[in-house]
């Protein structure tokens, strides 16, 4: 029997497991293949929903579904996180001490925000990367009566659109509250434009100029002086704030660091085959890779589809049949009721269109359709 | 000091070469040398501009067969 072990039941792991269950249905039925998914939680969180929690437009309870309910019945699922990767012996060992050997291993344990890595950020800045933080951000926005809001972005971070989306959504939130004239926005960004995607940066600059949003580029947050309410940048700027909104820097999961699989918790991964460097039978998906690509659910989704096809082909004919072309598709909320999107791959940059209400509705629909998407029904 | 650590940011639109370099510099030790590879022409200007603004040492910057190579030493 061929054994595929998938570590991590988030966006990438769930899509891959269901994709394989569909492709390898006859082999699963004949007990020639087993797919085991090991994860750290019995709940699956729709993480993009956290952005809406921060504006009171979704409640935290709306973000979760039972992980088991999302999986094809032929998938063996255990809530038992992996502690040790013993790749020389083709096995992983879980926290409860169970050893799982494999023919193919897929690692997709995601990433986590790490505000603690910047002095003062965890204490003084709001963010939206955990349920508690998103709920707290909503409280801070509700209590804010005017002043200067500074937006800072750490590197690397998950979901490249969040810095812009937060800014646009705050703009509309305070407009609706009737106090926009009392709020000054000061958007900062690590590189020399407003977004890593050049065309998105150009588009955002036009919008910001029209909305009167101020900005400073080449700004990497170094520390926060909470007493003086000031942000210091690596580049030497000091900026005053009344409310600080952050996109914290991220790292891979502790288990990746503890097993020395990659600096920062990012596993060296071949961008085309998704194989871990130096390991033929180990693949990596989603946020956990070190591929210079957006850490986004859509990246994990497209990677999982390519890998599903390849793993099925490896099982059936012993070779891979396609490469991952770097496809990513991200919606961009441009306020409370307008959105656009960026679609790109390794070779082709995006050409964002002017935002429309229709695209915003697509995004709202996707917030619900996500569950069908991870089930493999879309 | 051995061969500089290479950061391969070819074909990266998002996060892109400079963001990749910033992330790698955070993980590096003072004194480490890094070489970033980029297929994006804009980076040939952006990356040295950032290195100079922060105050790291720009060691070398050249283009070879459409790929930009920029070498930097972390100074602080
Ligand atoms: C506020 C916010 C907004 C976002 N907006 C968007 C958006 O608009 N569009 C978009 O495409 N993406 C968006 N994202 C990003 C997207 O959610 C992630 O990039 C995506 O979930 C990554 O998928 P993944 O499978 O790599 O990791 P995850 O989905 O994070 O899953 C990781 C899984 O690994 C498990 N795990 C962890 N440790 C272990 C272990 N030791 N053993 C076993 N399992 C383990 C976890 O329990 C989890 O199930 C957003 C994220 C946030 C936070």
């Amino acid at each position: 029997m061929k054994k595929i072990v998938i570590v991590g039941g988030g966006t990438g792991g769930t899509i891959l497991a269901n994709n394989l269950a569909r492709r390898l249905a006859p082999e699963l039925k004949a007990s020639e293949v087993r797919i085991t998914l090991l994860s750290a939680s019995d709940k699956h969180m729709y993480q993009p929903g956290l952005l809406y929690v921060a504006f009171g437009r979704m409640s935290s309870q709306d973000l979760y579904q039972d992980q088991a309910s999302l999986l094809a019945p032929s998938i063996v699922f255990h809530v038992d996180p992996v502690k040790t990767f013993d790749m020389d012996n083709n096995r992983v060992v879980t926290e409860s001490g169970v050893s799982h050997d494999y023919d193919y291993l897929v690692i997709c344990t995601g990433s986590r925000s790490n505000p603690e890595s910047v002095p003062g950020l965890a204490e003084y800045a709001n963010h939206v990367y955990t349920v508690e933080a998103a709920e707290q951000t909503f409280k801070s926005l509700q209590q804010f009566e005017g002043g200067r809001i500074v937006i800072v972005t750490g590197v690397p971070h998950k979901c490249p659109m969040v810095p812009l989306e937060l800014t646009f959504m705050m703009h509309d939130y305070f407009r609706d509250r009737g106090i926009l004239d009392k709020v000054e926005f000061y958007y900062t960004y690590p590189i020399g434009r407003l977004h890593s995607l050049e065309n998105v940066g150009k588009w955002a600059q036009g919008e910001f100029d029209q909305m009167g949003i101020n900005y400073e580029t080449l700004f990497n947050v170094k520390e926060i002086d909470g007493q003086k309410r000031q942000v210091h940048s690596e580049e030497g700027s000091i900026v005053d704030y009344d409310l600080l909104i952050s996109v914290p820097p991220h790292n891979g999961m502790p288990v990746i660091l503890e097993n020395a699989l990659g600096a920062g918790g990012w596993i060296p991964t071949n961008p085309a085959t998704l194989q871990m460097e130096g390991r033929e039978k180990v693949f990596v998906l989603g946020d956990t890779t070190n591929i210079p690509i957006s850490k986004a659910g859509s990246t994990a989704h497209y990677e999982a589809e390519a890998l599903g096809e390849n793993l099925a082909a490896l099982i059936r004919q012993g070779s891979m049949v396609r490469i991952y072309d770097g496809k990513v598709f991200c919606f961009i909320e441009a306020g409370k009721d307008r959105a656009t999107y960026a679609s790109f791959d390794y070779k082709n940059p995006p050409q964002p269109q002017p935002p429309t209400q229709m695209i915003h509705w697509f995004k709202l629909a996707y917030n619900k359709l996500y569950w069908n998407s991870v089930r493999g029904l879309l | 000091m051995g061969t500089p650590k290479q950061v391969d940011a070819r074909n990266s639109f998002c996060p892109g070469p400079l963001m990749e370099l910033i992330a790698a510099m955070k993980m590096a030790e003072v004194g480490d040398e890094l070489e970033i590879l980029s297929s994006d022409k804009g980076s040939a200007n952006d990356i040295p501009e950032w290195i100079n603004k922060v105050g790291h040492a720009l060691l070398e910057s050249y283009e070879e067969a459409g790929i930009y190579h920029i070498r930097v030493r972390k100074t602080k």
Side-chain angles (χ1 to χ4, degrees):
Chain A
M1 180 195 278
K2 295 271 188 212
K3 295 174 197 155
I4 302 173
V5 173
I6 302 171
V7 180
T11 304
T14 306
I15 292 173
L16 176 69
N18 284 325
N19 185 298
L20 284 169
R22 198 174 59 246
R23 287 182 191 279
L24 295 171
E27 288 85 349
L28 284 158
K29 205 166 173 202
S31 296
E32 291 162 12
V33 168
R34 183 161 70 208
I35 302 167
T36 305
L37 177 64
L38 302 171
S39 198
S41 174
D42 63 344
K43 295 274 185 291
H44 188 117
M45 190 210 279
Y46 175 59
Q47 298 176 33
L50 289 166
L51 185 69
Y52 301 85
V53 171
F55 291 88
R57 289 167 59 188
M58 264 174 118
S59 74
S60 315
Q61 289 88 330
D62 298 340
L63 304 180
Y64 294 98
Q65 292 216 5
D66 285 336
Q67 176 64 21
S69 74
L70 302 172
L71 296 170
S74 55
I75 297 163
V76 180
F77 171 55
H78 299 293
V79 182
D80 191 6
V82 167
K83 191 168 189 271
T84 309
F85 290 90
D86 179 7
M87 292 181 185
D88 290 339
N89 294 305
N90 298 329
R91 62 175 201 139
V92 296
V93 182
T94 65
E95 281 183 6
S96 75
V98 179
S99 172
H100 295 265
D101 56 341
Y102 58 80
D103 295 281
Y104 296 104
L105 172 69
V106 184
I107 307 175
C108 34
T109 44
S111 62
R112 71 191 163 103
S113 61
N114 189 5
E116 294 76 17
S117 64
V118 176
L121 199 67
E123 294 90 323
Y124 300 111
N126 287 94
H127 72 87
V128 299
Y129 281 86
T130 63
V131 166
E132 300 72 34
E135 288 175 347
Q136 179 53 47
T137 296
F138 185 45
K139 283 193 195 128
S140 300
L141 294 177
Q142 283 179 304
Q143 286 159 9
F144 194 66
E145 296 299 336
R148 182 184 239 208
I149 302 182
V150 174
I151 299 106
V152 294
T153 294
V155 180
H157 56 266
K158 166 159 68 178
C159 192
M161 302 311 172
V162 169
L164 287 177
E165 293 183 304
L166 273 172
T167 308
F168 287 129
M169 287 170 78
M170 282 194 291
H171 175 275
D172 285 12
Y173 170 82
F174 288 114
R175 191 186 56 198
D176 285 356
R177 272 186 51 196
I179 59 165
L180 191 58
D181 56 338
K182 297 200 180 73
V183 180
E184 183 200 348
F185 292 97
Y186 197 81
Y187 175 94
T188 69
Y189 202 65
I191 64 168
R193 51 181 181 245
L194 298 184
H195 193 265
S196 47
L197 292 164
E198 194 172 353
N199 291 337
V200 173
K202 278 189 195 144
W203 162 75
Q205 190 168 351
E207 298 276 324
F208 277 15
D209 289 343
Q210 215 179 350
M211 292 173 175
I213 295 174
N214 298 320
Y215 43 85
E216 179 173 338
T217 56
L218 291 180
F219 187 105
N220 285 277
V221 55
K222 183 179 170 196
E223 59 183 323
I224 313 302
D225 183 339
Q227 303 305 320
K228 292 191 182 150
R229 294 176 165 255
Q230 287 178 330
V231 187
H232 294 244
S233 82
E234 297 281 354
E235 293 78 8
S237 291
I238 301 177
V239 173
D240 294 320
Y241 68 84
D242 294 302
L243 178 63
L244 186 57
I245 302 288
S246 70
V247 174
H250 279 61
N251 281 110
M253 296 311 274
V255 68
I256 307 301
L257 287 165
E258 285 152 15
N259 284 268
L261 298 185
W266 316 118
I267 304 178
T269 306
N270 182 302
T273 64
L274 304 174
Q275 265 160 325
M276 178 174 170
E277 298 291 352
R279 297 277 173 185
E280 206 187 327
K281 293 175 179 256
V282 182
F283 295 83
V284 194
L285 269 191
D287 292 355
T288 317
T289 76
N290 79 335
I291 302 173
I293 196 170
S294 309
K295 298 199 181 296
S298 87
T299 309
H301 188 146
Y302 289 115
E303 287 175 344
E305 286 185 349
L307 184 54
E309 203 172 331
N310 276 340
L311 280 174
L314 278 166
I315 298 267
R316 287 185 166 166
Q317 69 204 45
S319 66
M320 291 195 260
V321 291
R322 67 175 276 199
I323 56 159
Y324 171 60
D325 62 1
K327 172 94 177 146
V328 181
F329 177 99
C330 288
F331 285 107
I332 314 171
E333 288 281 24
K336 67 164 187 170
D337 53 11
R338 300 181 314 144
T340 179
Y341 64 90
S343 175
F344 54 102
D345 59 33
Y346 290 140
K347 298 276 177 220
N348 303 291
Q351 308 291 345
Q353 306 301 314
T356 64
Q357 192 169 43
M358 178 79 100
I359 301 173
H360 168 69
W361 286 339
F362 278 136
K363 170 75 195 215
L364 292 191
Y366 185 79
N367 288 344
K368 303 256 183 299
L369 288 172
Y370 174 79
W371 302 110
N372 285 339
S373 163
V374 289
R375 284 188 179 99
L377 302 177
L378 274 186
Chain B
M1 200 151 296
T3 326
K5 187 175 175 287
Q6 222 175 43
V7 181
D8 188 350
R10 287 175 297 171
N11 301 325
S12 176
F13 291 117
C14 184
L18 179 50
M19 208 86 98
E20 284 294 306
L21 177 65
I22 293 170
M25 289 291 265
K26 275 174 55 175
M27 290 191 279
E29 305 285 339
V30 171
D32 281 357
E33 281 184 24
L34 270 70
E35 181 182 35
I36 177 123
L37 305 186
S38 160
S39 46
D40 161 45
K41 190 158 182 269
S43 334
N45 298 323
D46 288 1
I47 293 180
E49 187 189 343
W50 178 75
I51 292 171
N52 290 329
K53 193 163 183 200
V54 181
H56 295 306
L58 176 65
L59 304 176
E60 193 177 22
S61 171
Y62 63 94
E63 190 216 319
E64 193 177 78
I67 302 300
Y68 299 86
H69 297 245
I70 299 164
R71 263 190 332 118
V72 54
R73 185 170 52 242
K74 180 164 169 156
T75 56
K76 54 188 199 180

